[in-house]
Amino acid sequence: GAGVSQTPSNKVTEKGKYVELRCDPISGHTALYWYRQSLGQGPEFLIYFQGTGAADDSGLPNDRFFAVRPEGSVSTLKIQRTERGDSAVYLCASSLIYGGGTGELFFGEGSRLTVL
Amino acid sequence: AQSVAQPEDQVNVAEGNPLTVKCTYSVSGNPYLFWYVQYPNRGLQFLLKYITGDNLVKGSYGFEAEFNKSQTSFHLKKPSALVSDSALYFCAVLPDTGRRALTFGSGTRLQVQP
């Protein structure tokens, strides 16, 4: 596709439920990043992938959060036993160059998660 | 660990006037510095970056930024603001070692009045 695509754009769920958020990066981009943006805050790093493997998952807040990228393209962020504090906009970005060292990140429009 | 500070939550400027959005950073080693813009209901968009070389970097939509190593700053500037520049601006830093992902500031809302 022309840009980074994220689905769903909005997700409302109840506390304790399981949620999956999907990211389809720009074709050919090997690096993929997940960020979380709470109201009034800047994006907070969660995890990034180089190809199929997670190069750095140190930003995941706890073991309820998990992300996969099995074929090196589409990625899914999975949140178990959701809590109200998980409510945020989850941003996905991709980059042609690993680590974004000299290449900018291209962001999707985000998935807004609301946990009631 | 790296960090970015944007000391102003909001900047107000009249159309046609120059604007400055401030950013300071803390990082080990040589930083790569970025500015991104977020328009309402749109994804973050890349504006400009500093990697090395000339301290004055020019980017999209007439924006530029000045890297100042001694002051650890990377302020965003534009000589003449437009109403359409009104948006949320984020400064970000990428260290040359360690975690290879951007660390963002908290953002500054720019409001340009007609």
Side-chain angles (χ1 to χ4, degrees):
Chain A
V4 177
S5 176
Q6 292 189 245
T7 55
S9 55
N10 277 287
K11 175 70 176 179
V12 180
T13 190
E14 294 179 344
K15 180 175 178 296
K17 299 291 188 182
Y18 170 80
V19 166
E20 288 190 353
L21 307 174
R22 174 189 167 107
C23 173
D24 198 342
I26 292 172
S27 178
H29 281 193
T30 57
L32 184 146
Y33 303 77
W34 283 99
Y35 283 81
R36 176 169 70 174
Q37 187 175 17
S38 301
L39 193 63
Q41 301 295 318
E44 172 193 17
F45 169 78
L46 295 177
I47 184 172
Y48 75 86
F49 292 85
Q50 169 64 5
T52 59
D56 187 337
D57 64 358
S58 61
L60 295 176
N62 52 59
D63 61 6
R64 295 187 298 105
F65 288 76
F66 190 71
V68 296
R69 195 186 184 198
E71 298 179 355
S73 178
V74 172
S75 176
T76 304
L77 179 65
K78 307 180 181 191
I79 310 173
Q80 298 177 323
R81 303 183 304 280
T82 52
E83 300 178 357
R84 293 191 180 89
D86 299 335
S87 297
V89 177
Y90 289 82
L91 301 173
C92 178
S94 68
S95 172
L96 186 59
I97 298 173
Y98 169 61
T102 55
E104 68 262 31
L105 300 188
F106 293 83
F107 281 85
E109 295 187 6
S111 292
R112 182 177 299 277
L113 175 65
T114 303
V115 182
L116 301 177
Chain B
Q2 60 272 15
S3 65
V4 176
Q6 293 182 243
E8 303 153 317
D9 290 337
Q10 181 156 328
V11 169
N12 298 306
V13 64
E15 188 174 31
N17 283 359
L19 69 88
T20 298
V21 182
K22 295 179 180 177
C23 171
T24 58
Y25 66 89
S26 174
V27 67
S28 301
N30 296 313
Y32 301 152
L33 295 158
F34 299 76
W35 276 100
Y36 281 79
V37 60
Q38 190 172 39
Y39 297 101
N41 301 315
R42 301 281 300 277
L44 282 160
Q45 296 178 29
F46 170 81
L47 266 184
L48 52 78
K49 65 185 177 188
Y50 170 82
I51 303 298
T52 187
D54 194 348
N55 288 345
L56 185 63
V57 178
K58 294 187 184 296
S60 307
Y61 312 121
F63 283 92
E64 56 190 29
E66 186 168 12
F67 171 63
N68 187 317
K69 188 172 184 177
S70 63
Q71 297 185 5
T72 61
S73 68
F74 190 56
H75 301 331
L76 181 70
K77 301 181 180 185
K78 187 173 182 181
S80 179
L82 299 172
V83 172
S84 58
D85 292 331
S86 299
L88 197 52
Y89 291 81
F90 291 95
C91 182
V93 65
L94 179 73
D96 60 357
T97 59
R99 173 186 287 176
R100 300 297 289 162
L102 292 176
T103 296
F104 286 87
S106 57
T108 299
R109 183 165 300 281
L110 174 66
Q111 194 69 41
V112 181
Q113 284 111 12

Coordinates of all heavy atoms in Angstrom, one line a residue, chain A residues 22-116:
Chain A
R22 N -3.6 -4.5 14.5 CA -2.8 -4.9 13.3 C -2.2 -3.7 12.6 O -2.7 -2.6 12.6 CB -3.8 -5.6 12.3 CG -3.2 -6.0 11.0 CD -4.2 -6.5 10.0 NE -3.7 -6.6 8.7 CZ -3.5 -7.7 8.0 NH1 -3.7 -8.9 8.7 NH2 -3.0 -7.7 6.8
C23 N -1.0 -4.0 12.1 CA -0.2 -3.0 11.4 C 0.3 -3.6 10.1 O 1.0 -4.6 10.1 CB 1.0 -2.5 12.2 SG 2.1 -1.4 11.3
D24 N 0.0 -2.9 9.0 CA 0.5 -3.3 7.7 C 1.5 -2.2 7.2 O 1.1 -1.1 6.8 CB -0.7 -3.4 6.7 CG -0.3 -4.3 5.5 OD1 0.9 -4.4 5.2 OD2 -1.3 -4.7 4.8
P25 N 2.8 -2.5 7.2 CA 3.8 -1.5 6.9 C 3.9 -1.2 5.4 O 3.3 -1.9 4.6 CB 5.1 -2.1 7.4 CG 4.9 -3.6 7.2 CD 3.4 -3.8 7.5
I26 N 4.7 -0.2 5.1 CA 4.9 0.1 3.7 C 5.7 -1.1 3.1 O 6.7 -1.6 3.7 CB 5.7 1.4 3.6 CG1 4.8 2.6 4.0 CG2 6.2 1.6 2.2 CD1 5.5 3.9 4.1
S27 N 5.3 -1.5 1.9 CA 6.0 -2.6 1.3 C 7.5 -2.4 1.1 O 7.9 -1.3 0.7 CB 5.3 -2.8 -0.1 OG 6.0 -3.9 -0.8
G28 N 8.2 -3.4 1.5 CA 9.7 -3.3 1.4 C 10.4 -2.8 2.7 O 11.6 -2.9 2.8
H29 N 9.6 -2.2 3.6 CA 10.2 -1.7 4.8 C 10.5 -2.9 5.8 O 9.6 -3.6 6.1 CB 9.3 -0.7 5.5 CG 9.4 0.7 4.9 ND1 8.8 1.8 5.5 CD2 9.9 1.1 3.7 CE1 9.0 2.8 4.7 NE2 9.7 2.4 3.6
T30 N 11.8 -3.0 6.1 CA 12.1 -4.1 7.0 C 12.0 -3.9 8.5 O 11.9 -4.8 9.3 CB 13.6 -4.6 6.7 OG1 14.5 -3.4 6.9 CG2 13.8 -5.0 5.3
A31 N 12.1 -2.6 8.8 CA 11.9 -2.3 10.3 C 10.5 -1.8 10.6 O 9.9 -1.1 9.8 CB 12.9 -1.2 10.6
L32 N 10.0 -2.3 11.7 CA 8.6 -2.0 12.1 C 8.6 -1.6 13.6 O 9.3 -2.3 14.4 CB 7.7 -3.1 11.8 CG 6.2 -2.9 12.1 CD1 5.3 -3.6 11.1 CD2 5.8 -3.2 13.5
Y33 N 7.9 -0.6 14.0 CA 7.9 -0.1 15.3 C 6.5 0.1 15.9 O 5.6 0.4 15.1 CB 8.6 1.3 15.4 CG 10.0 1.4 14.8 CD1 10.2 1.4 13.5 CD2 11.1 1.5 15.7 CE1 11.5 1.5 12.9 CE2 12.4 1.5 15.2 CZ 12.5 1.5 13.8 OH 13.8 1.6 13.3
W34 N 6.3 -0.2 17.2 CA 5.1 0.1 17.8 C 5.4 1.1 18.9 O 6.3 1.0 19.7 CB 4.5 -1.2 18.5 CG 3.8 -2.1 17.6 CD1 4.3 -3.3 17.0 CD2 2.5 -2.0 17.1 NE1 3.4 -3.9 16.2 CE2 2.3 -3.1 16.2 CE3 1.5 -1.1 17.3 CZ2 1.0 -3.4 15.6 CZ3 0.3 -1.3 16.6 CH2 0.1 -2.4 15.8
Y35 N 4.5 2.1 19.0 CA 4.5 3.2 20.0 C 3.1 3.3 20.6 O 2.1 2.9 20.0 CB 4.9 4.5 19.4 CG 6.4 4.7 19.1 CD1 7.0 4.2 17.9 CD2 7.2 5.4 20.0 CE1 8.3 4.4 17.7 CE2 8.6 5.5 19.7 CZ 9.1 5.0 18.5 OH 10.4 5.2 18.3
R36 N 3.1 3.8 21.8 CA 1.8 4.1 22.4 C 1.8 5.6 22.8 O 2.8 6.1 23.3 CB 1.7 3.3 23.7 CG 0.4 3.5 24.5 CD 0.2 2.5 25.6 NE 1.2 2.6 26.7 CZ 1.1 1.8 27.8 NH1 0.1 0.9 27.9 NH2 2.0 2.0 28.7
Q37 N 0.7 6.3 22.5 CA 0.5 7.7 22.8 C -0.7 7.9 23.6 O -1.8 7.7 23.2 CB 0.4 8.5 21.5 CG 0.5 10.0 21.7 CD 0.5 10.7 20.4 OE1 0.2 10.2 19.3 NE2 0.9 12.0 20.4
S38 N -0.4 8.4 24.9 CA -1.5 8.7 25.7 C -1.9 10.2 25.5 O -1.0 11.0 25.0 CB -1.1 8.5 27.2 OG -0.8 7.1 27.4
L39 N -3.0 10.6 26.0 CA -3.5 12.0 25.8 C -2.5 13.0 26.4 O -2.1 12.9 27.5 CB -4.9 12.1 26.4 CG -5.6 13.4 26.0 CD1 -5.9 13.4 24.5 CD2 -6.9 13.5 26.8
G40 N -2.1 13.9 25.5 CA -1.2 15.0 26.0 C 0.3 14.6 26.1 O 1.1 15.3 26.7
Q41 N 0.6 13.4 25.7 CA 1.9 12.9 25.7 C 2.5 12.6 24.4 O 1.8 12.5 23.4 CB 2.0 11.6 26.6 CG 1.5 11.8 28.0 CD 2.3 12.7 28.8 OE1 3.6 12.6 28.7 NE2 1.7 13.6 29.6
G42 N 3.8 12.5 24.3 CA 4.5 12.1 23.1 C 4.4 10.6 23.0 O 4.1 9.8 23.9
P43 N 4.7 10.1 21.8 CA 4.7 8.6 21.6 C 5.8 7.9 22.5 O 6.9 8.4 22.6 CB 5.1 8.5 20.1 CG 4.7 9.8 19.5 CD 4.9 10.8 20.5
E44 N 5.4 6.8 23.1 CA 6.2 6.1 24.0 C 6.6 4.8 23.3 O 5.7 4.0 22.9 CB 5.5 5.8 25.3 CG 6.1 4.9 26.2 CD 5.2 4.5 27.3 OE1 3.9 4.6 27.2 OE2 5.6 3.9 28.4
F45 N 7.9 4.5 23.2 CA 8.3 3.3 22.5 C 7.9 2.0 23.2 O 7.9 1.9 24.4 CB 9.9 3.3 22.5 CG 10.5 2.0 22.0 CD1 10.5 1.7 20.7 CD2 11.0 1.1 22.9 CE1 11.1 0.5 20.3 CE2 11.6 0.0 22.5 CZ 11.6 -0.4 21.2
L46 N 7.4 1.0 22.4 CA 7.1 -0.3 22.9 C 8.0 -1.4 22.5 O 8.6 -2.1 23.3 CB 5.6 -0.6 22.5 CG 4.5 0.3 23.0 CD1 3.2 -0.2 22.4 CD2 4.5 0.2 24.6
I47 N 8.1 -1.5 21.1 CA 8.9 -2.6 20.6 C 9.2 -2.3 19.1 O 8.5 -1.6 18.5 CB 8.1 -3.9 20.7 CG1 8.9 -5.2 20.1 CG2 6.8 -3.8 19.9 CD1 8.1 -6.5 20.4
Y48 N 10.4 -2.9 18.6 CA 10.6 -2.8 17.2 C 11.2 -4.1 16.7 O 11.8 -4.9 17.4 CB 11.4 -1.6 16.8 CG 12.9 -1.6 17.0 CD1 13.8 -2.2 16.2 CD2 13.4 -1.0 18.2 CE1 15.1 -2.1 16.4 CE2 14.7 -0.9 18.4 CZ 15.6 -1.5 17.5 OH 17.0 -1.4 17.8
F49 N 10.9 -4.3 15.4 CA 11.2 -5.5 14.7 C 12.2 -5.2 13.5 O 12.0 -4.2 12.9 CB 10.0 -6.2 14.1 CG 9.0 -6.8 15.0 CD1 8.1 -6.0 15.6 CD2 9.1 -8.1 15.4 CE1 7.1 -6.5 16.5 CE2 8.2 -8.7 16.3 CZ 7.2 -7.9 16.8
Q50 N 13.2 -6.0 13.4 CA 14.0 -6.0 12.2 C 13.6 -7.4 11.5 O 14.0 -8.4 12.0 CB 15.4 -5.9 12.5 CG 16.4 -6.2 11.3 CD 16.2 -5.2 10.2 OE1 15.5 -4.2 10.3 NE2 16.9 -5.4 9.1
G51 N 12.9 -7.3 10.4 CA 12.4 -8.6 9.8 C 11.4 -9.2 10.7 O 10.5 -8.6 11.2
T52 N 11.6 -10.5 10.9 CA 10.6 -11.2 11.7 C 10.9 -11.2 13.2 O 10.0 -11.4 14.0 CB 10.6 -12.7 11.3 OG1 11.9 -13.3 11.5 CG2 10.2 -12.9 9.8
G53 N 12.1 -10.8 13.6 CA 12.5 -10.9 15.0 C 12.3 -9.6 15.7 O 12.6 -8.5 15.1
A54 N 12.0 -9.6 17.0 CA 11.9 -8.4 17.8 C 13.3 -8.0 18.2 O 14.0 -8.7 19.0 CB 11.1 -8.7 19.1
A55 N 13.8 -6.9 17.7 CA 15.2 -6.4 18.0 C 15.3 -5.8 19.4 O 16.3 -5.8 20.0 CB 15.6 -5.4 16.9
D56 N 14.2 -5.2 19.8 CA 14.1 -4.6 21.1 C 12.7 -4.5 21.6 O 11.9 -3.9 21.0 CB 14.7 -3.2 21.0 CG 14.9 -2.5 22.4 OD1 14.2 -2.9 23.4 OD2 15.7 -1.6 22.5
D57 N 12.4 -5.3 22.7 CA 11.0 -5.2 23.2 C 11.0 -4.6 24.6 O 10.1 -4.9 25.4 CB 10.4 -6.6 23.2 CG 11.1 -7.6 24.1 OD1 12.2 -7.2 24.7 OD2 10.7 -8.8 24.2
S58 N 12.0 -3.9 24.9 CA 12.2 -3.4 26.3 C 11.2 -2.3 26.7 O 11.0 -2.0 27.9 CB 13.6 -2.8 26.5 OG 13.8 -1.7 25.6
G59 N 10.4 -1.8 25.7 CA 9.4 -0.8 26.0 C 8.0 -1.4 26.4 O 7.2 -0.7 26.8
L60 N 7.9 -2.7 26.2 CA 6.6 -3.3 26.5 C 6.4 -3.2 28.1 O 7.3 -3.6 28.8 CB 6.6 -4.8 26.1 CG 6.6 -5.0 24.6 CD1 6.7 -6.5 24.3 CD2 5.4 -4.4 23.9
P61 N 5.3 -2.7 28.5 CA 5.1 -2.4 29.9 C 5.0 -3.6 30.8 O 5.5 -3.5 32.0 CB 3.8 -1.5 30.0 CG 3.1 -1.9 28.7 CD 4.1 -2.2 27.7
N62 N 4.5 -4.7 30.4 CA 4.5 -5.9 31.2 C 4.1 -7.1 30.3 O 4.0 -6.9 29.1 CB 3.4 -5.7 32.3 CG 2.0 -5.3 31.7 OD1 1.5 -6.0 30.9 ND2 1.6 -4.1 32.1
D63 N 4.0 -8.2 30.9 CA 3.8 -9.5 30.1 C 2.4 -9.6 29.5 O 2.1 -10.6 28.9 CB 4.3 -10.7 30.9 CG 3.4 -10.9 32.1 OD1 2.5 -10.2 32.3 OD2 3.7 -11.8 32.9
R64 N 1.6 -8.7 29.8 CA 0.2 -8.7 29.1 C 0.4 -8.3 27.6 O -0.6 -8.5 26.8 CB -0.8 -7.8 29.8 CG -1.1 -8.3 31.2 CD -2.2 -7.5 31.8 NE -1.9 -6.1 32.0 CZ -2.3 -5.1 31.2 NH1 -3.2 -5.4 30.2 NH2 -1.9 -3.8 31.4
F65 N 1.4 -7.6 27.3 CA 1.7 -7.1 26.0 C 2.6 -8.0 25.2 O 3.7 -8.4 25.7 CB 2.3 -5.7 26.0 CG 1.3 -4.6 26.5 CD1 1.0 -4.5 27.8 CD2 0.8 -3.7 25.6 CE1 0.1 -3.5 28.3 CE2 -0.1 -2.7 26.0 CZ -0.4 -2.6 27.3
F66 N 2.2 -8.3 24.0 CA 3.1 -9.1 23.1 C 2.9 -8.7 21.7 O 1.8 -8.3 21.3 CB 2.7 -10.6 23.3 CG 3.6 -11.6 22.7 CD1 4.9 -11.8 23.2 CD2 3.2 -12.3 21.6 CE1 5.8 -12.7 22.6 CE2 4.1 -13.2 21.0 CZ 5.4 -13.4 21.5
A67 N 3.9 -8.8 20.9 CA 3.8 -8.5 19.4 C 4.5 -9.5 18.6 O 5.5 -10.1 19.0 CB 4.3 -7.1 19.2
V68 N 3.9 -9.7 17.4 CA 4.5 -10.7 16.5 C 4.6 -10.1 15.1 O 3.8 -9.2 14.7 CB 3.7 -12.0 16.5 CG1 3.8 -12.7 17.8 CG2 2.3 -11.8 16.0
R69 N 5.5 -10.7 14.3 CA 5.6 -10.3 12.9 C 6.1 -11.5 12.1 O 7.2 -11.6 11.7 CB 6.6 -9.1 12.8 CG 6.5 -8.4 11.4 CD 7.6 -7.4 11.3 NE 7.5 -6.6 10.1 CZ 8.5 -5.9 9.5 NH1 9.7 -5.8 10.1 NH2 8.3 -5.2 8.4
P70 N 5.3 -12.5 12.0 CA 5.7 -13.8 11.6 C 6.3 -13.9 10.2 O 7.2 -14.8 10.0 CB 4.4 -14.7 11.7 CG 3.3 -13.7 11.6 CD 3.8 -12.4 12.3
E71 N 5.9 -13.1 9.3 CA 6.4 -13.2 7.9 C 7.3 -11.9 7.5 O 7.5 -11.7 6.3 CB 5.3 -13.4 6.9 CG 4.6 -14.7 7.2 CD 3.4 -15.0 6.3 OE1 3.1 -14.1 5.4 OE2 2.8 -16.0 6.3
G72 N 7.6 -11.1 8.5 CA 8.4 -10.0 8.2 C 7.7 -8.8 7.6 O 8.3 -7.9 7.1
S73 N 6.4 -8.9 7.6 CA 5.6 -7.8 7.0 C 4.6 -7.3 8.0 O 4.9 -6.5 8.9 CB 4.9 -8.2 5.7 OG 4.1 -7.2 5.2
V74 N 3.4 -7.8 8.0 CA 2.3 -7.4 8.9 C 2.7 -7.8 10.3 O 3.3 -8.8 10.6 CB 1.0 -8.1 8.5 CG1 -0.1 -7.9 9.6 CG2 0.5 -7.6 7.2
S75 N 2.3 -6.9 11.3 CA 2.6 -7.1 12.7 C 1.3 -7.0 13.5 O 0.4 -6.2 13.1 CB 3.6 -6.1 13.2 OG 3.8 -6.3 14.6
T76 N 1.2 -7.8 14.5 CA 0.0 -7.7 15.4 C 0.5 -7.5 16.8 O 1.4 -8.2 17.3 CB -0.8 -9.0 15.4 OG1 -1.1 -9.3 14.0 CG2 -2.0 -8.9 16.2
L77 N -0.1 -6.5 17.5 CA 0.2 -6.2 18.9 C -1.0 -6.8 19.6 O -2.2 -6.5 19.3 CB 0.2 -4.7 19.1 CG 0.4 -4.2 20.6 CD1 1.8 -4.7 21.1 CD2 0.3 -2.7 20.7
K78 N -0.6 -7.6 20.6 CA -1.7 -8.3 21.4 C -1.6 -7.9 22.8 O -0.6 -7.8 23.4 CB -1.4 -9.8 21.3 CG -1.2 -10.3 19.8 CD -1.0 -11.8 19.8 CE -0.8 -12.3 18.3 NZ -0.8 -13.7 18.2
I79 N -2.8 -7.6 23.4 CA -2.9 -7.2 24.8 C -3.9 -8.1 25.5 O -5.1 -8.2 25.1 CB -3.4 -5.7 24.9 CG1 -2.5 -4.8 24.0 CG2 -3.3 -5.3 26.3 CD1 -3.1 -3.4 23.9
Q80 N -3.4 -8.8 26.5 CA -4.2 -9.7 27.3 C -4.7 -9.0 28.5 O -4.1 -8.1 29.0 CB -3.4 -10.9 27.7 CG -2.9 -11.7 26.5 CD -2.0 -12.9 27.0 OE1 -1.3 -12.8 28.0 NE2 -2.1 -14.0 26.4
R81 N -5.9 -9.4 29.0 CA -6.5 -8.9 30.2 C -6.4 -7.4 30.3 O -5.8 -6.9 31.2 CB -5.8 -9.6 31.4 CG -5.8 -11.1 31.4 CD -5.1 -11.7 32.6 NE -3.8 -11.3 32.8 CZ -2.7 -11.8 32.2 NH1 -2.9 -12.7 31.3 NH2 -1.5 -11.3 32.4
T82 N -7.0 -6.8 29.4 CA -6.9 -5.3 29.3 C -7.3 -4.6 30.5 O -8.2 -5.0 31.3 CB -7.7 -4.7 28.1 OG1 -9.0 -5.2 28.2 CG2 -7.1 -5.1 26.8
E83 N -6.6 -3.5 30.8 CA -6.9 -2.6 32.0 C -7.2 -1.2 31.5 O -6.8 -0.9 30.3 CB -5.7 -2.6 32.9 CG -5.3 -4.0 33.4 CD -4.1 -3.9 34.3 OE1 -3.5 -2.8 34.5 OE2 -3.7 -5.0 34.9
R84 N -7.9 -0.5 32.3 CA -8.3 0.9 31.9 C -7.1 1.7 31.5 O -7.1 2.6 30.6 CB -9.1 1.5 32.9 CG -10.5 0.9 33.1 CD -11.5 1.7 34.0 NE -12.7 1.0 34.1 CZ -13.0 0.1 35.0 NH1 -12.1 -0.2 35.9 NH2 -14.2 -0.6 35.0
G85 N -6.0 1.5 32.2 CA -4.7 2.2 31.9 C -4.1 1.9 30.6 O -3.2 2.6 30.2
D86 N -4.6 0.9 29.9 CA -4.1 0.6 28.6 C -4.7 1.5 27.5 O -4.3 1.5 26.3 CB -4.4 -0.9 28.2 CG -3.8 -1.9 29.1 OD1 -2.7 -1.5 29.8 OD2 -4.3 -3.0 29.2
S87 N -5.7 2.2 27.9 CA -6.4 3.1 26.9 C -5.4 4.2 26.4 O -4.8 4.9 27.2 CB -7.6 3.9 27.6 OG -8.6 2.9 28.0
A88 N -5.3 4.2 25.1 CA -4.3 5.1 24.4 C -4.5 4.9 22.9 O -5.3 4.1 22.5 CB -2.9 4.7 24.8
V89 N -3.7 5.7 22.2 CA -3.6 5.5 20.7 C -2.3 4.7 20.5 O -1.2 5.1 20.9 CB -3.5 6.8 20.0 CG1 -3.3 6.5 18.5 CG2 -4.8 7.6 20.2
Y90 N -2.4 3.6 19.8 CA -1.3 2.7 19.5 C -0.8 3.0 18.1 O -1.6 2.8 17.1 CB -1.6 1.2 19.7 CG -1.8 0.9 21.2 CD1 -3.0 1.2 21.9 CD2 -0.7 0.4 21.9 CE1 -3.1 1.0 23.2 CE2 -0.9 0.2 23.3 CZ -2.0 0.5 23.9 OH -2.2 0.3 25.3
L91 N 0.4 3.4 18.0 CA 0.9 3.9 16.7 C 1.9 2.8 16.1 O 2.7 2.3 16.9 CB 1.7 5.2 16.8 CG 0.9 6.4 17.4 CD1 1.9 7.6 17.6 CD2 -0.2 6.8 16.4
C92 N 1.8 2.6 14.9 CA 2.8 1.7 14.2 C 3.6 2.6 13.2 O 3.0 3.5 12.6 CB 2.1 0.6 13.5 SG 3.1 -0.5 12.5
A93 N 4.8 2.3 13.0 CA 5.7 3.0 12.0 C 6.6 2.0 11.3 O 6.9 0.9 11.9 CB 6.5 4.1 12.7
S94 N 7.0 2.3 10.1 CA 7.9 1.4 9.4 C 9.0 2.3 8.8 O 8.9 3.5 8.7 CB 7.3 0.6 8.3 OG 6.8 1.4 7.3
S95 N 10.1 1.6 8.6 CA 11.3 2.3 8.1 C 12.1 1.4 7.1 O 12.1 0.2 7.3 CB 12.2 2.7 9.2 OG 13.5 3.2 8.8
L96 N 12.6 2.0 6.1 CA 13.4 1.3 5.1 C 14.7 0.8 5.7 O 15.2 -0.2 5.4 CB 13.6 2.1 3.9 CG 14.3 1.5 2.7 CD1 13.5 0.3 2.2 CD2 14.5 2.5 1.6
I97 N 15.2 1.6 6.6 CA 16.6 1.3 7.1 C 16.4 0.9 8.6 O 15.8 1.6 9.4 CB 17.5 2.6 7.0 CG1 17.6 3.0 5.6 CG2 18.8 2.4 7.7 CD1 18.4 4.2 5.4
Y98 N 17.1 -0.2 9.0 CA 17.0 -0.7 10.3 C 17.5 0.4 11.3 O 18.5 1.0 11.1 CB 17.9 -1.9 10.4 CG 18.1 -2.4 11.8 CD1 17.0 -2.8 12.6 CD2 19.3 -2.5 12.4 CE1 17.2 -3.2 13.9 CE2 19.5 -3.0 13.7 CZ 18.4 -3.3 14.4 OH 18.6 -3.8 15.7
G99 N 16.7 0.5 12.4 CA 17.1 1.4 13.5 C 16.8 2.9 13.2 O 17.0 3.7 14.1
G100 N 16.3 3.2 12.0 CA 16.0 4.6 11.7 C 17.1 5.5 11.8 O 17.0 6.7 11.9
G101 N 18.3 5.0 11.6 CA 19.5 5.8 11.8 C 19.6 7.0 10.8 O 19.9 8.1 11.3
T102 N 19.3 6.8 9.6 CA 19.3 7.9 8.7 C 18.0 7.9 7.9 O 17.9 8.7 7.0 CB 20.5 7.8 7.7 OG1 20.5 6.5 7.0 CG2 21.8 8.0 8.4
G103 N 17.1 7.1 8.2 CA 15.9 7.0 7.5 C 14.7 7.4 8.4 O 14.7 6.9 9.6
E104 N 13.8 8.2 7.9 CA 12.7 8.6 8.8 C 11.7 7.5 9.0 O 11.6 6.6 8.1 CB 12.0 9.8 8.3 CG 11.2 9.6 7.0 CD 12.0 10.1 5.8 OE1 13.3 10.0 5.8 OE2 11.4 10.5 4.8
L105 N 10.9 7.5 10.0 CA 9.9 6.6 10.3 C 8.6 7.1 9.6 O 8.3 8.3 9.6 CB 9.6 6.4 11.8 CG 10.7 5.9 12.6 CD1 10.3 5.7 14.0 CD2 11.4 4.7 12.0
F106 N 7.8 6.2 9.0 CA 6.6 6.5 8.4 C 5.5 5.9 9.3 O 5.4 4.7 9.5 CB 6.4 5.9 7.0 CG 7.4 6.6 6.0 CD1 8.7 6.1 5.9 CD2 7.0 7.6 5.2 CE1 9.6 6.7 5.0 CE2 7.8 8.2 4.3 CZ 9.2 7.7 4.2
F107 N 4.6 6.8 9.8 CA 3.6 6.4 10.8 C 2.3 6.1 10.2 O 1.9 6.8 9.3 CB 3.5 7.4 11.9 CG 4.6 7.4 12.9 CD1 5.8 8.1 12.7 CD2 4.4 6.8 14.1 CE1 6.8 8.1 13.6 CE2 5.4 6.7 15.1 CZ 6.6 7.4 14.8
G108 N 1.6 5.2 10.8 CA 0.1 5.0 10.5 C -0.7 6.0 11.3 O -0.1 6.8 12.1
E109 N -2.0 6.0 11.1 CA -2.8 6.9 11.8 C -3.2 6.5 13.2 O -3.8 7.2 14.0 CB -4.1 7.2 11.0 CG -3.8 7.9 9.7 CD -5.0 8.4 8.9 OE1 -6.1 8.2 9.5 OE2 -4.9 8.9 7.8
G110 N -2.8 5.3 13.5 CA -3.0 4.8 14.9 C -4.3 4.0 15.1 O -5.3 4.1 14.3
S111 N -4.3 3.2 16.2 CA -5.5 2.5 16.6 C -5.8 3.1 18.0 O -5.0 2.9 18.9 CB -5.3 1.0 16.7 OG -5.1 0.4 15.4
R112 N -7.0 3.7 18.1 CA -7.4 4.2 19.4 C -8.1 3.1 20.2 O -9.1 2.6 19.8 CB -8.3 5.4 19.2 CG -8.8 6.0 20.6 CD -9.6 7.3 20.4 NE -8.9 8.3 19.6 CZ -8.1 9.2 20.1 NH1 -7.9 9.2 21.4 NH2 -7.5 10.1 19.4
L113 N -7.5 2.8 21.4 CA -8.0 1.7 22.2 C -8.6 2.4 23.5 O -8.0 3.2 24.1 CB -6.9 0.7 22.6 CG -7.4 -0.3 23.7 CD1 -8.4 -1.3 23.1 CD2 -6.1 -1.1 24.2
T114 N -9.9 2.0 23.7 CA -10.6 2.5 24.9 C -11.0 1.3 25.7 O -11.7 0.4 25.2 CB -11.8 3.3 24.6 OG1 -11.4 4.5 23.8 CG2 -12.5 3.9 25.8
V115 N -10.6 1.2 27.0 CA -10.9 0.1 27.8 C -11.9 0.6 28.9 O -11.5 1.5 29.7 CB -9.7 -0.5 28.5 CG1 -10.1 -1.7 29.4 CG2 -8.7 -1.0 27.4
L116 N -13.1 0.1 28.9 CA -14.1 0.6 29.8 C -14.1 -0.2 31.1 O -13.6 -1.3 31.2 CB -15.5 0.4 29.2 CG -15.7 1.1 27.8 CD1 -17.1 0.8 27.3 CD2 -15.5 2.6 28.0

